[in-house]
Amino acid sequence: MLSIKNLHALAGEKQVLHGLDLEVGAGEVHAIMGPNGSGKSTLAQVLAGREGYTVTGGSVTYKGKDLLSLSPEERAREGVFLAFQYPVEIPGVNNVYLLKAGLNAIRKHRGESEMDAFEFLTLVREKMKLMQMDESFLNRGVNEGFSGGEKKRNEILQMAVLEPSLALLDETDSGLDIDALRVVANGVNSLRSPDRAIVLVTHYQRLLDYIEPDHVHVLSGGKIIKSGDKSLALELEKRGYDWVKQEAAA
Amino acid sequence: MASNPQTDPTLEALVAQKYRHGFVTDIESDTVPPGLDEDVIRLISRKKGEPQFMLDWRLRAYRHWLTMKEPHWAHLRIQPIDYQSISYYSAPKPKTDAPKSLEEVDPKLLETYDKLGIPLHERARLAGVAVDAVFDSVSVATTFKERLNKAGVIFCSFSEAVQKHPELIEKYLGSVVPHTDNYFAALNSAVFTDGSFVFVPKGVRCPMELSTYFRINAAKTGQFERTLIVAEENSHVSYLEGCTAPMRDENQLHAAVVELVALEGAQIKYSTVQNWYPGDENGVGGIYNFVTKRGECRGANSKISWTQVETGSAITWKYPSCILTGDNSVGEFYSVAVANNYQQADTGTKMIHIGKNTRSTIVSKGISAGHGQNAYRGLVKVLPSAINARNFTQCDSLLMGDKCGAHTFPYMEVRTPTASVEHEATTSKIGDDQLFYCLSRGISEEDAVNMIVNGFCKAVFKELPMEFAVEAQNLLAVSLEGSVG
Ligand SMILES: Nc1ncnc2c1ncn2[C@@H]1O[C@H](COP(=O)(O)OP(=O)(O)OP(=O)(O)O)[C@@H](O)[C@H]1O
Ligand SMILES: [Mg+2]
């Protein structure tokens, strides 16, 4: 599904990714862990196509296409979804209006008919129930005045509605209370399917208790320096990152 | 920011433009040659068959105008206007060069209508297709007039009102905007040729929105338009001015005057969508729009509310204002002003608190894009008599790109300790992160910009009558097309 080869990229002026390789197959869940500032969010932004993040080398192939040649909105329409580490507020723009516009743009791209307001509301209500979100969020501005945890939940609501093929979740677990963590994990798990892939960026094992990853990677200094199965996450939790870095340097 | 006006060739072209259509050689007997003096004013008044009081009033205004100086504004780049090159009277005549059907209309104009979502049956009228070809509007207008008659509402052209209701005109004309008020108001008072008149009698709630669109005998009123709306005790009226379709006009200078009078318990809601030709993307062409709009809440418990969406004109200068004379009266001003390309907008409001417990609300949203310059200028004046007066002002600017500008000039003059005056102002750039957030959900850049801008303007749009609000959103989208990216 996703094949990243020797990726080099700048965040602003700063070289952050230094030759990153990652292979993600359909149906797989990958967890990316790593110290603060190691480049995890940069990777996510590069994959989503954000301006200000410049690829200086390497390639990214998604579903057989050159992902880097697509505009951000084309990537979204092709099924790439990024749940932001810091979701932005857009005052005055209705939360579900934005979601409906996104969904219909994606459906149009796929050659499907646009959803009318009624069908759409039925769908959103169902997904909001899954995310245990109050109906009042239907009428609020995009993330406007949402608490930290509510913003994260809203990201997963969007994901549940847009049903992407490749979901990139950047620290969606940060800032969630214990119950919310379970709800969000539930939302993510409900999306798991043989034709979808999920890449989770996280600092904590507790998310992985709920969403079991097939692969765990350590990103440090702009590269994947170690990969393993879910037991790697447990080991990192116990021992931290220093031993991995030393191993990689040796 | 603004470049040096002396070196800007586009402005010279802009000024030169006004002469392009010049004066047709086969001058019809009903067209006065360019120039302004007392004889021209007498001629206008005679042609219109006006009573003596009107002529006297015009002449007083003219004589006063001669003593006045053209105003200057720090934030407007403007070339001098040659008042002697304007023709001040031209009798309404059938347009012989009007297109006979939509097929003859400029396809580019039709494309814009399409984007604005203007209904098919209206497009012909807007494009200036000869009226007898448009059947719909005639019958609609007739039923409209019948309903108003039944309610006792007078809604007619200013000329008709001068003929049929001279006592009302004499009583109210100039009672809110005196002929001495300002340079452009004085000029308008001397030479205006037509406009609209509305009178809503005591206790009557006007049965429908009044729109300039439906004004019976709506001859082209041109550059000096005059509107007078009088709402008697406990009456209600909502008036819509303008239309979202792009208006081209060969007159470069527009100096209109609008006066509103609300007697005790009356409510007037005045909504404007202004979309005159702003000039092209290089700042060439475009209309200078200098308007004096003022309402007086003359009676206790009355209310006047101005809502405006200003996207057109090369230069816009207007400050719809409220004089809150009656106790407990309420003034409101909601505004969205767009300055794109080389447009300059200098708008705002004045709220003059005179009566006790008077309240005013100001919500101004300025959007600047391209090289556009947007200025908000507001005055809140609370006189000693205005015990417990309250004002709330919110003034937000949105910048798109880095060549445009926003300026805010709030003036407060509070002369009673019991008043409360609150002011909030923000300036934000259309956020890259907001834009990217929308893109990453599959939304196109154009739609994303529209969404963010409309969100920014929401507080104003919700004050507009329903259909107007939808049109205004589309209009904003068209006005800002291609201004990001
Ligand atoms: N636009 C930018 N301009 C300059 N430096 C940047 C920019 N964006 C990120 N950086 C820097 O690049 C490095 C990697 O940032 P990134 O956000 O990818 O880290 P991260 O792994 O997601 O960290 P965290 O775990 O704290 O979220 C950091 O040192 C950060 O300061
Ligand atoms: Mg991060």
Side-chain angles (χ1 to χ4, degrees):
Chain A
M1 161 119 15
L2 180 72
S3 171
I4 304 175
K5 293 209 165 74
N6 195 28
L7 185 64
H8 290 71
L10 304 173
E13 311 269 275
K14 184 181 171 185
Q15 189 79 43
V16 176
L17 300 184
H18 299 271
L20 184 143
D21 295 289
L22 183 66
E23 296 289 330
V24 179
E28 297 175 354
V29 174
H30 290 241
I32 296 181
M33 306 180 79
N36 293 135
S38 59
K40 303 180 298 296
S41 294
T42 301
L43 173 64
Q45 305 280 358
V46 166
L47 294 177
R50 180 166 196 152
E51 213 175 301
Y53 291 79
T54 321
V55 173
T56 50
S59 68
V60 179
T61 313
Y62 165 73
K63 286 186 176 170
K65 289 194 179 102
D66 173 13
L67 185 72
L68 301 176
S69 69
L70 302 179
S71 69
E73 62 272 29
E74 285 166 341
R75 296 180 199 199
R77 292 171 195 168
E78 289 286 337
V80 177
F81 179 88
L82 169 61
F84 288 80
Q85 184 173 2
Y86 305 109
V88 55
E89 301 195 10
I90 313 181
V93 176
N94 183 279
N95 195 34
V96 294
Y97 179 75
L98 176 122
L99 188 51
K100 177 164 175 262
L103 179 65
N104 278 333
I106 292 168
R107 289 175 66 96
K108 206 167 148 196
H109 179 75
R110 292 198 200 125
E112 297 167 6
S113 67
E114 292 191 15
M115 258 194 196
D116 64 32
F118 183 76
E119 285 175 290
F120 177 75
L121 266 182
T122 314
L123 173 72
V124 174
R125 286 218 164 91
E126 176 203 319
K127 302 294 185 187
M128 283 176 90
K129 219 177 259 164
L130 173 73
M131 297 310 299
Q132 299 186 10
M133 281 171 83
D134 191 87
E135 292 237 338
S136 64
F137 285 96
L138 283 175
N139 300 317
R140 289 173 64 176
V142 177
N143 293 318
E144 202 178 346
F146 288 22
S147 76
E150 286 165 351
K151 285 182 183 169
K152 297 302 180 78
R153 221 186 263 222
N154 195 43
E155 293 292 288
I156 301 306
L157 171 72
Q158 294 183 355
M159 182 187 79
V161 169
L162 300 179
E163 301 191 315
S165 310
L166 173 66
L168 310 164
L169 310 185
D170 192 358
E171 294 195 30
T172 303
D173 53 335
S174 309
L176 291 179
D177 68 39
I178 300 158
D179 294 329
L181 184 68
R182 204 175 308 121
V183 170
V184 161
N186 229 341
V188 175
N189 282 328
S190 70
L191 197 79
R192 280 182 92 150
S193 88
D195 52 359
R196 297 212 175 95
I198 297 167
V199 177
L200 306 166
V201 172
T202 183
H203 286 296
Y204 306 106
Q205 170 59 34
R206 47 170 205 192
L207 179 70
L208 306 179
D209 290 340
Y210 295 108
I211 310 172
E212 238 181 65
D214 302 299
H215 302 273
V216 174
H217 310 275
V218 176
L219 200 168
S220 174
K223 288 191 238 207
I224 303 289
I225 55 167
K226 191 173 177 67
S227 297
D229 61 13
K230 61 184 178 184
S231 65
L232 176 58
L234 289 167
E235 202 172 351
L236 290 170
E237 179 114 305
K238 258 188 256 148
R239 298 174 62 190
Y241 291 112
D242 279 349
W243 66 277
V244 194
K245 287 190 202 165
Q246 279 159 17
E247 222 180 76
Chain B
M1 297 299 279
S3 62
N4 185 345
Q6 266 80 51
T7 59
D8 193 336
T10 55
L11 262 165
E12 280 166 39
L14 182 144
V15 170
Q17 169 110 344
K18 76 181 158 189
Y19 302 109
R20 200 181 56 193
H21 296 275
F23 250 82
V24 223
T25 41
D26 57 330
I27 294 174
E28 294 172 39
S29 56
D30 263 1
T31 300
V32 176
L36 185 56
D37 56 25
E38 292 202 2
D39 286 343
V40 168
I41 290 165
R42 283 177 213 282
L43 185 71
I44 292 172
S45 191
R46 195 168 60 242
K47 291 263 187 209
K48 300 182 72 63
E50 289 180 347
Q52 185 65 35
F53 81 85
M54 278 299 306
L55 174 61
D56 294 344
W57 195 72
R58 287 176 182 278
L59 288 173
R60 273 202 304 277
Y62 175 68
R63 287 169 197 153
H64 189 81
W65 180 71
L66 288 177
T67 69
M68 298 174 96
K69 268 211 160 80
E70 207 179 19
H72 286 279
W73 301 279
H75 284 274
L76 291 185
R77 295 180 298 160
I78 180 168
Q79 294 288 330
I81 298 164
D82 180 358
Y83 295 92
Q84 294 302 334
S85 72
I86 297 170
S87 167
Y88 289 88
Y89 183 78
S90 169
K93 54 186 173 200
K95 264 190 135 182
T96 46
D97 56 348
K100 307 265 178 312
S101 72
L102 271 181
E103 275 84 71
E104 291 178 30
V105 173
D106 181 359
K108 236 178 151 173
L109 196 62
L110 294 180
E111 198 182 301
T112 312
Y113 290 170
D114 210 41
K115 285 183 192 152
L116 289 171
I118 291 171
L120 276 176
H121 67 270
E122 273 191 41
R123 296 184 191 186
R125 185 186 61 82
L126 295 173
V129 172
V131 184
D132 50 359
V134 189
F135 306 111
D136 277 17
S137 63
V138 177
S139 57
V140 170
T142 314
T143 49
F144 187 76
K145 193 160 192 173
E146 277 167 8
R147 280 184 68 192
L148 289 179
N149 275 341
K150 225 184 237 163
V153 175
I154 302 170
F155 178 32
C156 62
S157 72
F158 209 98
S159 311
E160 194 182 328
V162 169
Q163 300 302 325
K164 292 191 179 160
H165 312 282
E167 70 299 341
L168 290 175
I169 299 294
E170 191 166 12
K171 180 166 177 192
Y172 290 107
L173 177 67
S175 72
V176 184
V177 181
H179 65 268
T180 50
D181 193 80
N182 68 68
Y183 191 80
F184 294 109
L187 179 63
N188 174 290
S189 303
V191 304
F192 78 93
T193 43
D194 218 331
S196 304
F197 176 68
V198 175
F199 180 82
V200 190
K202 226 178 199 165
V204 170
R205 183 178 281 268
C206 187
M208 69 258 282
E209 314 264 356
L210 299 182
S211 157
T212 36
Y213 168 30
F214 285 119
R215 197 183 59 225
I216 321 303
N217 301 328
K220 201 170 151 195
T221 43
Q223 47 197 147
F224 302 104
E225 194 168 347
R226 187 110 198 167
T227 302
L228 173 60
I229 300 179
V230 178
E232 282 199 330
E233 290 82 354
N234 300 312
S235 67
H236 284 235
V237 62
S238 167
Y239 186 86
L240 313 181
E241 177 202 18
C243 108
T244 52
M247 297 235 277
R248 282 172 187 267
D249 194 311
E250 59 204 57
N251 297 313
Q252 188 194 27
L253 171 68
H254 280 243
V257 172
V258 177
E259 292 180 278
L260 312 182
V261 180
L263 301 185
E264 188 172 338
Q267 297 195 6
I268 302 177
K269 186 174 175 64
Y270 193 105
S271 314
T272 308
V273 170
Q274 185 265 114
N275 188 22
W276 274 326
Y277 184 54
D280 67 14
E281 58 278 13
N282 300 313
V284 179
I287 283 170
Y288 293 177
N289 189 24
F290 300 129
V291 181
T292 306
K293 286 183 163 173
R294 192 175 307 149
E296 183 181 358
C297 286
R298 206 164 279 177
N301 304 310
S302 56
K303 177 176 173 183
I304 288 179
S305 176
W306 299 99
T307 306
Q308 59 173 25
V309 177
E310 299 280 331
T311 63
S313 300
I315 296 179
T316 299
W317 175 88
K318 65 188 271 195
Y319 313 92
S321 307
C322 296
I323 302 174
L324 304 171
T325 310
D327 290 347
N328 311 312
S329 61
V330 176
E332 293 176 337
F333 173 74
Y334 299 95
S335 166
V336 167
V338 176
N340 195 1
N341 297 324
Y342 284 86
Q343 277 176 281
Q344 304 171 72
D346 194 307
T347 77
T349 186
K350 290 177 198 156
M351 293 289 176
I352 316 293
H353 292 256
I354 299 170
K356 294 189 198 75
N357 301 314
T358 45
R359 278 169 291 149
S360 62
T361 303
I362 298 170
V363 177
S364 160
K365 305 277 181 175
I367 301 167
S368 314
H371 292 83
Q373 294 292 325
N374 219 327
Y376 168 82
R377 208 178 289 279
L379 169 68
V380 176
K381 190 169 181 171
V382 181
L383 299 185
S385 54
I387 295 162
N388 291 324
R390 274 180 289 155
N391 162 266
F392 172 75
T393 300
Q394 184 179 344
C395 193
D396 301 320
S397 311
L398 186 67
L399 304 177
M400 302 169 74
D402 46 19
K403 294 189 193 72
C404 55
H407 317 270
T408 305
F409 308 97
Y411 303 99
M412 314 259 174
E413 246 184 86
V414 181
R415 291 198 265 148
T416 165
T418 57
S420 114
V421 174
E422 257 179 87
H423 180 89
E424 285 176 14
T426 65
T427 298
S428 49
K429 279 194 76 158
I430 195 160
D432 287 343
D433 44 352
Q434 294 177 336
L435 204 55
F436 180 65
Y437 192 80
C438 298
L439 298 181
S440 77
R441 298 304 179 244
I443 297 164
S444 71
E445 178 154 309
E446 204 177 315
D447 289 348
V449 169
N450 288 341
M451 227 180 255
I452 296 168
V453 169
N454 277 312
F456 174 77
C457 298
K458 197 172 191 173
V460 173
F461 285 166
K462 74 175 173 37
E463 295 298 325
L464 287 171
M466 189 60 176
E467 328 82 77
F468 236 38
V470 175
E471 286 185 33
Q473 289 190 21
N474 293 336
L475 175 61
L476 212 58
V478 173
S479 310
L480 292 171
E481 210 163 68
S483 39
V484 159

